[in-house]
């Protein structure tokens, strides 16, 4: 069966396009009593963006914290707050921030119409009811969360997304001005998430013309942004992130992502940095990609953390290997159908020990 892929319904792109949000939302607001929920990364609390939010009297503004990656308990807490304070079902949930905030807004929009805890829906196609209308506005580019059908959450048992057609945003607003001025390290690591999406998609066994078209374009844009730079870089990175997301949506990621999930679960590392740390040790799988990645590291003077697994005990190492091995489609994409013969626990342990 071929995947019948649900895409974002509406996209607006361009510098200053954020100003159109009021107009876009006015079509959702039925009357003066309609509530729109704004989930905004709290990094913007004291920034000019705060005064540009098109808030109406009954709207709710939730400052969302992304110091750690989103947890199911946090999503449940925010959903409860919205139910208590909005009093009626909101007509929209708007996520403004990086991948974490966008995922939180997707998850809250789903949990407003589905009962129980968000942890009950970590998996594939477990969501029963359509979400409240939800829109995503990136202020950090690379994850492709604006394009994907998942909202990645860490729950009590696992780190796994709420994957469903209902998860996909109804609207995204891609305004390159919003990603200006991100601190270099964060810009680099989230950007490398996109670069690694491209390499893993383009070298994978799941590759097809759809994924290749998006993946090649995204890779070209990443090269322009991270090896050349210059004016227009924000516009390019924003489109690279979107196209990289579209590429993996119809193929899969690979070894770096599988190992990175283990690093995140056991060591609490963020997605972008975890991918970068893992990728640097994967020359045997992605020789050209790793070589080019090192040029990018050097150009931007990024010092990758080293020896991060040096103090892990055997139990932690085993848990990390378990988490990585759950991600079977990633291994199959990277290494083929007989991947289990190629990727043993010992080989994964050896890769982790080098990091
Ligand atoms: P993030 O959203 O976790 O944010 C990282 C840091 O950057 C935070 O401290 C945040 O406050 C800050 N930040 C955000 N915008 C900023 C701005 N304009 N200026 C300065 N600082 C800013 O980072 P991310 O890399 O975008 O997202 C990582 C998350 O995305 C992880 O939780 C990961 O699991 C998830 N993810 C989701 C998908 C998906 O398809 N849904 C794909 C990949 C990753
Ligand atoms: Zn990723």
């Amino acid at each position: 069966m071929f995947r019948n892929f649900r895409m974002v319904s509406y996209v607006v792109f361009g510098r200053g396009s954020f100003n159109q949000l009021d107009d876009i939302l006015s079509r959702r607001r039925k009357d003066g009593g309609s509530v729109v929920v704004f989930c905004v990364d709290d990094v913007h609390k004291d920034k000019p963006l705060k005064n540009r939010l098109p808030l109406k009297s009954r709207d709710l503004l939730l400052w969302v914290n992304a110091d750690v990656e989103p947890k199911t308990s946090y999503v449940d807490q925010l959903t409860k707050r919205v139910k208590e304070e909005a009093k009626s079902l909101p007509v929209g949930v708007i996520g403004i921030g990086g991948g974490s905030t966008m995922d939180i807004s997707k998850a809250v929009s789903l949990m407003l119409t589905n009962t129980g805890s968000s942890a009950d829906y970590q998996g594939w196609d477990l969501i029963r009811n359509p979400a409240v209308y939800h829109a995503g506005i990136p202020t950090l580019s690379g994850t492709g969360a604006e394009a994907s059908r998942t909202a990645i959450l860490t729950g009590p048992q696992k780190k796994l997304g709420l994957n469903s057609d209902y998860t996909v945003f109804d609207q995204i607003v891609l305004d390159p001005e919003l990603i200006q001025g991100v601190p270099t390290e964060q810009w680099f690591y989230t950007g490398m998430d996109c670069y690694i999406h491209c390499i893993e998609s383009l070298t994978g066994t799941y590759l097809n013309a759809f994924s290749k078209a998006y993946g090649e374009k995204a890779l070209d844009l990443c090269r322009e942004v991270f090896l050349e730079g210059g004016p227009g870089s924000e516009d390019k990175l924003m489109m690279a992130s979107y196209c990289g997301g579209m590429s993996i949506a119809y193929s899969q990621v690979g070894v770096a992502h599988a190992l990175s999930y283990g690093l995140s679960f056991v060591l609490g590392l963020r997605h972008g940095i975890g991918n970068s740390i893992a990728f640097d040790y994967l020359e045997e799988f992605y020789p050209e990609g790793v070589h080019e990645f090192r040029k990018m590291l050097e150009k931007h003077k990024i010092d990758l953390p080293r020896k991060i697994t040096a103090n892990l005990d055997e139990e932690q190492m085993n848990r990390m290997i378990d988490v990585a091995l759950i991600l079977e489609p990633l291994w199959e994409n990277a290494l083929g159908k007989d991947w289990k013969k190629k990727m043993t626990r010992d080989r994964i342990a050896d890769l982790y020990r080098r990091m």
Side-chain angles (χ1 to χ4, degrees):
M1 276 276 272
F2 294 98
R3 191 172 303 159
N4 195 1
F5 170 52
R6 169 96 186 261
M7 291 164 61
V8 173
S9 312
Y10 288 90
V11 181
V12 53
F13 174 87
R15 290 186 170 250
S17 60
F18 182 78
N19 294 336
Q20 255 166 267
L21 185 60
D22 194 16
D23 180 50
I24 290 168
L25 294 180
S26 68
R27 276 168 246 170
R28 293 278 141 196
R29 299 180 190 275
K30 293 179 195 89
D31 52 55
S34 300
V35 177
V36 174
V37 180
F38 291 80
C39 297
V40 188
D41 190 315
D42 63 11
V43 77
H44 298 292
K45 217 169 180 172
D46 302 313
K47 295 210 180 140
L49 189 67
K50 181 188 171 188
N51 301 319
R52 295 174 62 202
L53 300 171
L55 289 165
K56 305 288 183 240
S57 63
R58 292 209 51 211
D59 289 352
L60 284 182
L61 171 56
L62 306 182
W63 291 111
V64 167
N65 186 269
D67 290 347
V68 293
E69 296 195 338
K71 295 194 165 53
T72 51
S73 54
Y74 190 40
V75 167
D76 293 349
Q77 194 188 316
L78 290 171
T79 308
K80 186 165 173 264
R81 203 179 134 192
V82 172
K83 283 183 178 164
E84 282 167 5
E85 292 182 25
K87 297 197 173 71
S88 60
L89 187 68
V91 296
V93 177
I94 318 302
I96 305 176
S100 295
T101 306
M102 286 193 278
D103 279 359
I104 287 170
S105 69
K106 288 177 179 181
V108 168
S109 75
L110 289 163
M111 294 317 298
L112 285 171
T113 52
N114 288 274
T115 54
S117 161
S118 51
D120 303 338
Y121 301 96
Q122 285 182 283
W124 282 270
D125 303 306
L126 302 173
I127 299 279
R128 299 221 174 121
N129 304 314
V132 166
Y133 168 91
H134 50 300
I137 307 178
T139 68
L140 186 59
S141 278
T143 64
E146 64 277 20
S148 76
R149 80 191 286 281
T150 187
I152 303 175
L153 301 178
T154 301
Q157 316 284 352
K158 55 201 168 198
K159 177 178 176 182
L160 189 61
L162 314 186
N163 296 270
S164 83
D165 282 353
Y166 301 128
T167 311
V168 180
F169 281 122
D170 298 294
Q171 166 86 55
I172 55 176
V173 176
L174 304 179
D175 182 345
E177 281 179 359
L178 302 182
I179 62 167
Q180 248 156 238
V182 176
T184 305
E185 283 213 347
Q186 188 63 59
W187 165 81
F188 184 85
Y189 287 129
T190 300
M192 284 305 107
D193 188 21
C194 177
Y195 179 76
I196 296 167
H197 290 161
C198 298
I199 301 296
E200 293 187 324
S201 174
L202 291 168
T203 57
T205 61
Y206 289 5
L207 189 65
N208 52 70
F210 183 100
S211 288
K212 192 163 182 263
Y214 281 108
E216 285 178 346
K217 188 66 214 174
L219 184 59
D220 286 347
L221 290 167
C222 283
R223 287 179 174 144
E224 288 177 37
V225 171
F226 292 101
L227 293 173
E228 294 165 27
S233 279
E234 291 90 7
D235 304 56
K236 290 175 186 172
L237 182 56
M238 202 157 239
M239 282 319 296
S241 175
Y242 175 80
C243 292
M246 291 293 285
S247 180
I248 53 173
Y250 219 75
S251 60
Q252 193 40 279
V253 285
V255 182
H257 273 76
L259 296 176
S260 168
Y261 269 67
L263 293 174
S264 288
F265 196 83
V266 174
L267 293 167
L269 284 183
R270 283 168 184 279
H271 186 77
I273 195 166
N275 284 342
S276 298
I277 291 172
F279 195 62
D280 195 46
Y281 296 92
L282 300 179
E283 215 168 349
E284 59 198 287
F285 305 99
Y286 309 112
E288 288 165 25
V290 172
H291 183 73
E292 193 168 56
F293 167 74
R294 289 184 186 148
K295 278 195 208 159
M296 293 173 177
L297 277 176
E298 204 178 298
K299 181 170 166 71
H300 298 288
K301 302 187 174 61
I302 303 288
D303 277 328
L304 269 188
R306 306 276 175 197
K307 298 198 171 66
I308 55 161
T309 59
N311 298 321
L312 290 186
D313 60 31
E314 204 168 313
E315 195 197 322
Q316 288 171 309
M317 179 59 82
N318 276 324
R319 193 162 339 132
M320 214 150 72
I321 298 170
D322 290 339
V323 172
L325 279 172
I326 294 171
L327 301 156
E328 299 202 354
L330 283 67
W331 294 109
E332 187 179 289
N333 175 47
L335 305 172
K337 288 209 180 304
D338 60 345
W339 67 270
K340 284 184 182 160
K341 285 188 198 142
K342 297 180 189 161
M343 192 48 72
T344 58
R345 290 186 77 87
D346 284 349
R347 195 168 175 202
I348 296 182
D350 180 53
L351 286 167
Y352 273 139
R353 279 198 199 96
R354 284 190 233 166
M355 293 175 192

